[in-house]
Amino acid sequence: MQTNVFTLIFQAGLVVKFVMLVLLFFSVVSWAIIIFKYGYLRRAERENELFYHAFRRVRDAEGLFATSKKYTIGPISNVFRQVFLDTDQRVRAEVARTIKRYEALERAKLEKHLGFLATTGSSTPFIGLFGTVWGIMTSFMDIGQAGAASLTVVAPGIAEALIATAMGLVAAIPAVIAYNYYLSRANNLIIQMEDFSEDIQDFFTHGRSET
């Protein structure tokens, strides 16, 4: 059975082969993103938790800055570190603008590559459908050339069509699941970061300890 599937793929027409290569590209890149984002978001969540506890324990600016340098993935530690480096004033509005700027950068990091998963989930079924339609068209043309509609004539084209459809779904389903799952986790991290902004503002405007 497995050999027959690969034989059909290798014997497929150029258009169907191209469709399958495109779907394979989307699938491979999607899985690379899925694996990468799992580790990235997991580390970001852990670093957020560790820096939050450090922030509650330590009220020394230099000490917190040194701690934040150990946590390079967590968004709240990154925002704190950049505000510390960029902000020498105690004006709340200036601190708030600086925080918003670095929040936007951290949000972009958390959501990076998720757009590709969304594109894969929405487009690969249609790419597979294109391969399906082309395979059926090939089958009808073979029927016309053979002058008879037998299973031997139509089966290869139909099989090509079904393989293209299956590959489209194989690429799309994991991408959709991963996109929704990782977007939810990224949004939770963004909410944590935005909630923590008030604490950072208070710390730099009137709660900061001098060393």
Side-chain angles (χ1 to χ4, degrees):
M1 176 67 178
Q2 202 171 28
T3 303
N4 291 337
V5 170
F6 284 113
T7 300
L8 288 171
I9 292 174
F10 290 129
Q11 292 179 350
L14 289 177
V15 173
V16 177
K17 282 181 178 177
F18 177 75
V19 168
M20 292 179 182
L21 285 174
V22 171
L23 294 173
L24 181 62
F25 166 79
F26 274 100
S27 183
V28 169
V29 176
S30 292
W31 275 107
I33 292 172
I34 289 169
I35 294 169
F36 168 76
K37 292 299 286 188
Y38 177 81
Y40 185 91
L41 292 175
R42 185 179 182 182
R43 183 176 172 185
E45 290 164 348
R46 179 61 177 162
E47 290 189 2
N48 261 14
E49 181 181 356
L50 291 172
F51 185 76
Y52 179 81
H53 290 310
F55 185 84
R56 293 305 175 198
R57 290 194 313 269
V58 181
R59 303 304 296 178
D60 171 66
E62 296 291 342
L64 282 171
F65 173 70
T67 300
S68 72
K69 291 195 290 186
K70 297 188 296 184
Y71 306 133
T72 58
I73 302 298
I76 65 174
S77 58
N78 286 341
V79 171
F80 179 90
R81 183 169 58 257
Q82 295 302 328
V83 173
F84 178 89
L85 292 172
D86 286 6
T87 306
D88 293 325
Q89 305 178 42
R90 294 175 180 269
V91 180
R92 188 176 181 86
E94 178 64 26
V95 174
R97 283 193 294 271
T98 304
I99 289 173
K100 290 298 181 184
R101 181 165 68 252
Y102 288 109
E103 277 183 347
L105 294 175
E106 292 302 315
R107 185 181 297 108
K109 290 179 185 177
L110 293 170
E111 295 176 348
K112 189 176 182 180
H113 303 309
L114 293 184
F116 187 90
L117 295 180
T119 300
T120 299
S122 62
S123 64
T124 51
F126 294 102
I127 296 173
L129 181 61
F130 172 77
T132 299
V133 172
W134 193 271
I136 293 173
M137 288 172 55
T138 301
S139 297
F140 278 114
M141 287 188 290
D142 290 341
I143 291 172
Q145 291 175 358
S150 66
L151 185 62
T152 303
V153 173
V154 301
I158 298 298
E160 291 174 13
L162 294 175
I163 292 172
T165 301
M167 288 185 67
L169 294 175
V170 166
I173 293 172
V176 170
I177 294 173
Y179 171 77
N180 291 321
Y181 176 62
Y182 290 148
L183 183 63
S184 175
R185 291 177 65 177
N187 285 337
N188 287 336
L189 287 166
I190 291 169
I191 291 171
Q192 290 178 18
M193 178 178 63
E194 292 174 345
D195 288 344
F196 197 67
S197 295
E198 288 294 327
D199 295 324
I200 295 178
Q201 287 183 20
D202 291 340
F203 180 83
F204 280 101
T205 53
H206 54 73
R208 177 175 178 169
S209 299
E210 299 294 341
T211 58

